[in-house]
């Protein structure tokens, strides 16, 4: 079976495929993490459609479109399904042209903000005692990193994650809104828990940027298909130096 289209995946989610087609898609989704993420994305109902389409509407030639609508005969009201919605969205894209780039960028920005916000909420619960008891043998750490690599396609090793004055404690997979996030944690002797987190993105490479969450400093960036964030109680300049180091190591 060729790579399924979004329309086929929506039909899959709406249980509109026959048994053989559904079985084929079940197998493809189980074997392909990226396809699984597409299915999860299409199945979600809490994306910020209103805000995105408000921005799109601001770019549309409203007077000319309204005149054309007034002159058109009234069609029969269609049934509303996700397939109809995708078709309507595609028609809107054709009318709006380059405005779709702004819509997608707005959605990407919102998604990037959301996952950093959730990680920040999670890290706010950490105290040194959260990490002190965790085993630190290299065999366990390598097994954890292999799990992360298999799910997110990052090439991590204990050697790439070494930090002066901090002990690497754990790599684990989390999930936010159906999207996998890997978290690598350290216990720093001076500043306490520190985390490097990564998830997939298709927003392209972006330079280092800073923010504050729950009294912690954050440095975040994207490199090709991955978005990264480093969060902890370290001073912002010290955290940026570590982020630059990781950016170089992980890009090799």
């Amino acid at each position: 079976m060729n790579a399924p289209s979004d329309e086929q995946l929506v039909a899959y989610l709406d249980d509109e495929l026959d048994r053989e087609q559904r079985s084929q898609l079940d197998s493809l989704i189980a074997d392909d993490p990226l396809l699984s993420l597409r299915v999860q994305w299409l199945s979600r109902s809490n994306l910020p459609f209103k805000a995105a389409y408000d921005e799109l509407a601001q770019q549309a030639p409203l007077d000319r479109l309204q005149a054309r609508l007034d002159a058109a005969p009234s069609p029969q009201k269609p049934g509303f399904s996700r397939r109809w919605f995708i078709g309507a969205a595609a028609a809107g894209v054709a009318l709006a042209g380059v405005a779709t780039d702004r819509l997608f960028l707005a959605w990407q920005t919102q998604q990037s903000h959301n996952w950093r916000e959730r990680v920040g909420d999670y890290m706010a619960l950490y105290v040194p005692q959260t990490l002190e008891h965790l085993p630190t043998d290299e065999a366990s750490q390598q097994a954890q990193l292999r799990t992360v690599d298999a799910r997110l396609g990052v090439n991590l090793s204990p050697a790439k994650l070494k930090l002066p004055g901090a002990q690497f404690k754990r790599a684990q997979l989390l999930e936010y809104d159906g999207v996998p996030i890997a978290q690598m944690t350290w216990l720093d002797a001076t500043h306490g828990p520190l985390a490097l987190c990564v998830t997939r993105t298709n927003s392209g490479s972006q330079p280092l940027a800073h923010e504050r969450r729950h009294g912690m400093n954050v440095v975040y960036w994207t490199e090709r298909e991955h978005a990264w964030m480093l969060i902890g109680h370290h001073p912002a300049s010290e955290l940026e130096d570590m982020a630059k180091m990781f950016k170089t190591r992980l890009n090799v």
Side-chain angles (χ1 to χ4, degrees):
M1 184 177 185
N2 294 328
S5 65
D6 284 348
E7 183 178 355
Q8 288 174 304
L9 294 178
V10 170
Y12 170 85
L13 290 169
D14 290 340
D15 201 19
E16 295 177 357
L17 300 178
D18 60 39
R19 182 177 299 177
E20 181 179 354
Q21 291 174 316
R22 187 170 188 84
S23 177
Q24 289 178 329
L25 272 177
D26 282 336
S27 298
L28 287 174
I29 292 168
D31 294 338
D32 188 341
L34 290 180
L35 180 58
S36 177
L37 286 177
R38 281 176 61 198
V39 173
Q40 292 171 29
W41 187 90
L42 289 169
S43 69
R44 286 183 288 176
S45 60
N46 61 345
L47 292 175
F49 288 121
K50 184 180 186 303
Y53 275 92
D54 282 348
E55 182 174 348
L56 181 63
Q58 291 173 11
Q59 307 299 322
L62 297 181
D63 293 341
R64 188 165 73 251
L65 290 174
Q66 186 62 54
R68 292 176 63 182
L69 287 172
D70 292 342
S74 299
Q76 291 184 339
K77 185 176 180 181
F80 289 91
S81 67
R82 276 184 295 191
R83 187 177 297 191
W84 179 90
F85 180 81
I86 287 176
V93 164
L95 287 171
V98 296
T100 55
D101 292 336
R102 298 189 180 189
L103 184 155
F104 184 71
L105 179 59
W107 178 81
Q108 283 283 355
T109 301
Q110 181 65 33
Q111 291 300 99
S112 177
H113 172 83
N114 285 348
W115 87 272
R116 295 198 309 273
E117 181 179 24
R118 293 299 174 264
V119 170
D121 292 344
Y122 188 53
M123 280 297 295
L125 303 175
Y126 274 47
V127 294
Q129 291 77 16
T130 308
L131 303 174
E132 283 177 347
H133 69 285
L134 296 176
T136 56
D137 62 286
E138 189 165 321
S140 296
Q141 293 173 355
Q142 287 178 333
Q144 294 165 4
L145 293 173
R146 282 195 297 269
T147 300
V148 169
D149 185 35
R151 188 72 184 274
L152 290 174
V154 289
N155 184 19
L156 300 175
S157 67
K160 289 183 177 181
L161 298 176
K162 285 184 177 178
L163 285 174
Q167 186 177 36
F168 181 54
K169 302 297 289 188
R170 177 175 62 191
Q172 63 178 340
L173 279 170
L174 309 172
E175 190 171 285
Y176 165 60
D177 205 9
V179 176
I181 300 170
Q183 181 200 55
M184 282 64 68
T185 51
W186 292 258
L187 186 55
D188 185 274
T190 303
H191 301 291
L194 171 74
L196 175 69
C197 302
V198 58
T199 189
R200 287 191 180 274
T201 184
N202 55 3
S203 60
S205 297
Q206 300 290 334
L208 299 180
H210 296 257
E211 63 187 20
R212 291 272 295 174
R213 292 190 179 276
H214 300 288
M216 292 174 286
N217 285 309
V218 179
V219 181
Y220 61 94
W221 70 97
T222 62
E223 196 72 42
R224 294 189 292 273
E225 71 273 19
H226 293 103
W228 300 85
M229 68 176 287
L230 188 63
I231 178 171
H233 293 279
H234 296 66
S237 58
E238 189 174 331
L239 206 66
E240 179 171 342
D241 289 341
M242 286 190 286
K244 289 177 178 177
M245 180 187 65
F246 280 130
K247 197 171 186 290
T248 299
R249 287 181 184 175
L250 300 173
N251 199 33
V252 174

